[in-house]
Amino acid sequence: MLKPNMHYAELRDSYLFARIGAKIKDYQKEHPEARLYRLGIGDVTRPLCPAVIAALHEAVDDQGSFDRFHGYMPECGAPFLREAIASHYAARGVALSADEVFVSGGASDELGDITDLFAHPCRALMTDPTYPAYMDASVMAGREVTRLPAGEENGFLPLPDESAEADLIYLCSPNNPTGAVYDRERLKIWVDYANRRGAVILFDAAYEAFIEDSTLPHSIFEIEGARSCAIEICSLSKTAGFTGTRLGYTVIPRELVRDGMCLRDMWVRNRTTKTNGISYILQKGGAAVFTEEGQRQIFDNIRVYRENARVLTETFDRLGAWYIGGKNAPYVWVKCPAGMDSWSFFDLLLREIGVIGTPGEGFGASGEGYFRFSTFGSPEDTREAASRLERLLKQYY
Amino acid sequence: MLKPNMHYAELRDSYLFARIGAKIKDYQKEHPEARLYRLGIGDVTRPLCPAVIAALHEAVDDQGSFDRFHGYMPECGAPFLREAIASHYAARGVALSADEVFVSGGASDELGDITDLFAHPCRALMTDPTYPAYMDASVMAGREVTRLPAGEENGFLPLPDESAEADLIYLCSPNNPTGAVYDRERLKIWVDYANRRGAVILFDAAYEAFIEDSTLPHSIFEIEGARSCAIEICSLSKTAGFTGTRLGYTVIPRELVRDGMCLRDMWVRNRTTKTNGISYILQKGGAAVFTEEGQRQIFDNIRVYRENARVLTETFDRLGAWYIGGKNAPYVWVKCPAGMDSWSFFDLLLREIGVIGTPGEGFGASGEGYFRFSTFGSPEDTREAASRLERLLKQYY
């Protein structure tokens, strides 16, 4: 008799966004005419930039041509894209070999797959609040999970607790959901801690393109010592609007060795066994992001989202609300007014002003009492939502 | 200290196609002028059909438009594609609900991911010879592997051995590497065996589009009882030339329940945690395969590969060589002449006539003494290779 993976039975039943979806559906049934302002889920709204569209069309034409048709791609990524990504890091002062760069179908997919490199019974450490998929993937693998509480006292940027036993450390900076960003000094403390323990940091850099402050690190490999303790997982989803197009990349340095096994070499073996590479078409589109023209165009989009963030943070400044994020990050993490819990705040905003955000409690117990606003909506909706928030909330803060 | 997954250390060092690649490289260094005829790796050579190309271009334009832009796709697949696939099965007499169909990034990727549904210490059964990735993925998960020898005595279509303990059964029909195809009666024996034991069959149907004999099953779900014991993994790679474009699909029926856990529901949870869906662009291209026009066009390509198969099988008929496949399958599996082992035969063909195939030994011990020819090459190369084979081999058979 085949035994299923019974760890799936330990997963919490309901998923944050499913619960939000159900609440919205109920509300729309009662108020079919209501206009909603969605600052909830972190999906982008602006189309792919022209340089990417042109490269995708060209690649599609290649796939329709006898002479230029591409069959199986190299499993770890097309050399043209691995090299473009390595050059992108080099321009930022991080030296990588192109064969330490792996092309992926996106950061979520990679976060799901990559933990196959680690023995199952290991201790995973993640912050609280955190992106729910880290937790669920760890539960599915039967890992023991420790949550490190984040809060106002540490600016939602917790540092390692020397008493906590951790083998696998999830860090996300700029953070989802809080928008908090580790500076070099604090990230160095994590790197040193991981090296001392022989732990491995899975560094989720999906939001790095939103960093404006030049003193903040975009990559963990800007920190000395990271090459022997970190894997960086990145994505074009937020950088270049690829949420529905799909493409990401992962960096595993050769110095990352545990028990004599080189994790980069293990990942090559994993990819050559468990994939047949990433779509040629998508890789050509992705390579266009790293051209001069592509970089200029993606930042035209990012600037729109940054302007949304400015509209929201200025609103919360005027309200006198406590918040972080919105600077160097596409999320604004706001303290709910008047001691309100985050689901009550969700209900209030939905019912009174048709604004949708994400309750902090959905990201972990330490998120209770906080609320996430995404800046990926349209400028018009964001401005309207901000003015509605200001009108409603001035009585609360 | 993070422990790596030490099962990776149990993997065999060299990979079949890497060894072949090294041999070819050496040969080309010695004979830089030599023209080679590649009937080795199973990659397609014909471009995507016009209906798919048009759909891909249209989807790229959508991704460049504010009004038609698609962000995150549903994790289990776009409804338009899940429904198109369910209708494709319905036309063949297999009733499926669209939500039993999952869109994937390709069959290899799915074969790698899906075994997360099963407890790690389970017993995997696969035929010998077999597609190497089944074996390697099982070793990576620390599974105990039993090989079921296939040979001329059973037409390379082994039936279950009642004494073998198996939880997870890999079947591939039409088979890679042998091209042998299970008929309904023999597949029913496997389904009954799996149901009796509570085992689960992973049915790899990647080559089903090559079946011409209308009495042979394209899907395991044409067999009574399969809905309670089988997962079918399929791909557009060989059906529609998507090896470098990437798209596949998987069917998990609701009746597949073990220890009270519905594997279809577990897979929904896996996909929603560990992926953010498959590219909108690729799904639109994939949907075009299932239109009337798309079906007509993909079979124009498949007919070319079938004609290659005919050229090869007629050559082996004239030589009096023992072979299977090439009918209802894109591989021809030939017995090496004069008791030659399969790597010696590889060397002979490379050195004497510049023809590249795949040594049967690379697929398992029972493949020793046999050789795989792929029919995915160009018609010109296949005809030239066949006439060279005939001239060389008539002295051997």
Side-chain angles (χ1 to χ4, degrees):
Chain A
M1 166 74 86
L2 182 88
K3 295 274 166 213
N5 177 346
M6 294 304 293
H7 296 301
Y8 278 59
E10 298 156 24
L11 290 163
R12 284 193 355 177
D13 235 12
S14 137
Y15 192 68
L16 172 60
F17 294 105
R19 185 169 168 195
I20 291 175
K23 276 179 178 281
I24 295 173
K25 212 169 156 184
D26 286 350
Y27 178 79
Q28 286 181 314
K29 207 178 271 174
E30 289 165 42
H31 306 88
E33 77 303 333
R35 169 95 165 80
L36 296 178
Y37 301 88
R38 295 174 187 271
L39 308 182
I41 193 166
D43 199 357
V44 299
T45 50
R46 301 184 70 76
L48 299 181
C49 69
V52 170
I53 293 293
L56 289 169
H57 276 307
E58 206 177 295
V60 170
D61 281 334
D62 289 348
Q63 294 302 71
S65 139
F66 270 100
D67 299 339
R68 303 190 311 275
F69 176 75
H70 283 74
Y72 288 124
M73 299 298 293
E75 292 91 345
C76 300
F80 64 78
L81 182 53
R82 300 175 86 181
E83 282 155 20
I85 295 166
S87 301
H88 181 72
Y89 274 86
R92 187 189 277 167
V94 175
L96 291 177
S97 159
D99 67 8
E100 295 173 320
V101 177
F102 294 82
V103 178
S104 77
S108 305
D109 311 67
E110 199 77 341
L111 282 160
D113 287 350
I114 207 159
T115 64
D116 191 55
L117 294 183
F118 315 125
H120 268 204
C122 80
R123 294 159 302 189
L125 177 72
M126 56 197 74
T127 60
D128 183 342
T130 194
Y131 179 52
Y134 305 158
M135 185 70 189
D136 288 351
S138 299
V139 171
M140 285 172 175
R143 302 209 155 103
E144 191 187 305
V145 176
T146 303
R147 304 291 295 264
L148 193 61
E152 288 178 52
E153 68 288 355
N154 53 30
F156 282 90
L157 292 168
L159 292 174
D161 169 359
E162 292 291 336
S163 72
E165 297 291 335
D167 305 314
L168 184 59
I169 299 164
Y170 286 87
L171 289 183
C172 177
S173 176
N175 190 261
N176 177 12
T178 70
V181 189
Y182 280 105
D183 60 22
R184 287 169 199 278
E185 293 65 36
R186 292 195 229 204
L187 209 46
K188 180 79 169 89
I189 294 172
W190 274 110
V191 165
D192 291 344
Y193 169 82
N195 276 323
R196 221 160 40 238
R197 304 234 162 196
V200 170
I201 297 173
L202 285 182
F203 190 75
D204 182 345
Y207 301 97
E208 59 82 16
F210 289 83
I211 293 174
E212 294 183 84
D213 177 342
S214 65
T215 69
L216 294 172
H218 289 248
S219 163
I220 196 166
F221 299 114
E222 295 177 42
I223 309 301
E224 204 195 323
R227 286 184 57 89
S228 56
C229 70
I231 293 173
E232 181 156 295
I233 291 178
C234 206
S235 163
L236 297 184
S237 285
K238 308 302 162 71
T239 301
F242 271 60
T243 53
T245 301
R246 311 303 304 145
L247 204 71
Y249 52 94
T250 299
V251 177
I252 313 182
R254 287 188 182 280
E255 290 92 318
L256 189 60
V257 174
R258 292 293 178 274
D259 271 352
M261 309 270 283
C262 171
L263 270 62
R264 182 238 161 239
D265 295 348
M266 288 174 72
W267 193 235
V268 171
R269 191 61 200 256
N270 179 294
R271 298 291 84 182
T272 52
T273 299
K274 297 194 176 187
T275 79
N276 262 321
I278 300 295
S279 176
Y280 166 73
I281 297 169
L282 303 181
Q283 292 194 78
K284 287 299 272 189
V289 170
F290 296 98
T291 60
E292 214 173 290
E293 190 191 11
Q295 287 289 302
R296 202 170 53 240
Q297 293 175 354
I298 64 165
F299 279 102
D300 288 343
N301 281 333
I302 287 173
R303 259 191 297 278
V304 174
Y305 299 134
R306 283 178 179 160
E307 174 60 17
N308 288 343
R310 200 188 52 76
V311 167
L312 286 171
T313 55
E314 287 183 1
T315 301
F316 293 117
D317 283 337
R318 282 193 299 273
L319 285 166
W322 188 96
Y323 70 90
I324 48 168
K327 291 166 180 94
N328 307 302
Y331 297 116
V332 187
W333 180 253
V334 185
K335 189 171 188 168
C336 303
M340 208 177 290
D341 72 73
S342 61
W343 284 101
S344 301
F345 193 55
F346 177 90
D347 292 336
L348 175 74
L349 299 190
L350 176 61
R351 278 198 323 266
E352 296 298 321
I353 56 174
V355 170
I356 296 164
T358 311
E361 189 273 340
F363 301 101
S366 300
E368 182 55 283
Y370 298 88
F371 205 76
R372 187 189 81 172
F373 289 101
S374 158
T375 66
F376 290 117
S378 73
E380 301 71 31
D381 279 17
T382 305
R383 275 196 300 270
E384 177 62 23
S387 87
R388 287 169 172 239
L389 284 166
E390 189 158 0
R391 276 199 304 276
L392 173 70
L393 295 181
K394 60 186 168 194
Q395 57 186 304
Y396 288 95
Y397 279 108
Chain B
M1 166 74 86
L2 183 87
K3 294 276 167 212
N5 177 348
M6 295 303 292
H7 296 300
Y8 278 60
E10 299 156 23
L11 289 164
R12 283 192 356 176
D13 235 13
S14 136
Y15 192 69
L16 172 60
F17 294 107
R19 183 167 169 197
I20 291 173
K23 276 178 179 279
I24 294 172
K25 213 168 156 186
D26 287 350
Y27 177 79
Q28 286 180 315
K29 206 178 274 173
E30 289 166 43
H31 306 87
E33 77 303 332
R35 169 95 166 80
L36 296 178
Y37 301 88
R38 296 174 186 271
L39 308 182
I41 193 165
D43 199 355
V44 299
T45 50
R46 302 182 71 75
L48 299 181
C49 68
V52 170
I53 293 293
L56 289 168
H57 276 307
E58 206 177 295
V60 169
D61 281 334
D62 289 348
Q63 293 302 74
S65 141
F66 271 100
D67 300 338
R68 303 189 312 275
F69 177 74
H70 283 74
Y72 287 124
M73 299 299 292
E75 293 91 344
C76 300
F80 65 77
L81 181 53
R82 299 175 87 182
E83 281 155 22
I85 295 166
S87 301
H88 182 72
Y89 274 86
R92 188 188 276 167
V94 176
L96 292 178
S97 158
D99 67 9
E100 295 173 321
V101 177
F102 295 82
V103 178
S104 78
S108 306
D109 311 66
E110 198 78 342
L111 282 160
D113 289 348
I114 207 160
T115 64
D116 191 55
L117 294 184
F118 316 124
H120 268 202
C122 80
R123 296 159 298 189
L125 177 71
M126 55 197 72
T127 60
D128 184 342
T130 194
Y131 179 54
Y134 304 158
M135 184 71 191
D136 288 350
S138 299
V139 170
M140 285 172 174
R143 302 212 156 103
E144 189 188 306
V145 176
T146 304
R147 304 290 296 265
L148 193 60
E152 288 178 52
E153 68 289 355
N154 52 31
F156 281 90
L157 292 168
L159 292 175
D161 169 358
E162 291 292 336
S163 72
E165 297 292 334
D167 304 315
L168 184 59
I169 300 164
Y170 286 88
L171 289 183
C172 177
S173 175
N175 189 262
N176 177 12
T178 70
V181 189
Y182 279 105
D183 60 22
R184 286 169 200 277
E185 292 66 36
R186 292 193 228 203
L187 208 48
K188 181 77 169 85
I189 293 171
W190 274 110
V191 165
D192 291 344
Y193 169 83
N195 276 322
R196 222 159 38 236
R197 304 232 162 198
V200 169
I201 298 173
L202 285 181
F203 191 75
D204 181 345
Y207 300 97
E208 59 82 16
F210 289 83
I211 292 174
E212 295 183 85
D213 178 343
S214 64
T215 68
L216 294 173
H218 288 248
S219 162
I220 196 167
F221 299 115
E222 295 177 42
I223 309 301
E224 204 195 321
R227 286 183 58 89
S228 55
C229 70
I231 292 173
E232 182 156 295
I233 292 178
C234 206
S235 162
L236 297 184
S237 285
K238 308 302 162 71
T239 301
F242 271 61
T243 53
T245 301
R246 311 305 304 147
L247 204 71
Y249 53 94
T250 299
V251 176
I252 313 183
R254 287 189 182 278
E255 288 92 318
L256 188 60
V257 174
R258 293 291 179 274
D259 271 352
M261 308 271 282
C262 170
L263 270 63
R264 182 239 161 237
D265 295 347
M266 289 174 71
W267 194 234
V268 171
R269 190 62 200 255
N270 180 293
R271 297 293 82 184
T272 52
T273 298
K274 297 195 177 187
T275 80
N276 262 322
I278 300 296
S279 177
Y280 167 72
I281 297 169
L282 304 182
Q283 293 195 75
K284 287 298 272 191
V289 170
F290 296 98
T291 60
E292 213 172 291
E293 192 191 9
Q295 287 289 303
R296 203 172 49 241
Q297 293 175 354
I298 64 165
F299 279 103
D300 288 345
N301 281 333
I302 287 175
R303 259 191 296 279
V304 174
Y305 299 134
R306 283 178 180 160
E307 175 61 18
N308 288 344
R310 199 186 54 75
V311 166
L312 286 171
T313 54
E314 287 182 1
T315 301
F316 293 118
D317 282 337
R318 282 193 299 273
L319 285 165
W322 187 95
Y323 71 89
I324 48 168
K327 291 162 180 99
N328 306 302
Y331 297 117
V332 186
W333 180 254
V334 184
K335 189 170 189 169
C336 302
M340 208 178 289
D341 72 74
S342 61
W343 284 101
S344 301
F345 192 55
F346 176 92
D347 291 337
L348 175 75
L349 299 190
L350 176 61
R351 280 199 321 267
E352 298 298 322
I353 55 174
V355 170
I356 296 164
T358 311
E361 189 273 340
F363 301 100
S366 300
E368 182 56 284
Y370 298 87
F371 205 77
R372 187 188 81 171
F373 289 102
S374 158
T375 65
F376 290 117
S378 73
E380 302 69 33
D381 279 17
T382 305
R383 274 196 301 270
E384 177 62 24
S387 85
R388 287 169 173 240
L389 284 166
E390 189 159 359
R391 275 198 305 275
L392 173 71
L393 296 180
K394 61 187 166 194
Q395 56 186 304
Y396 288 93
Y397 280 109

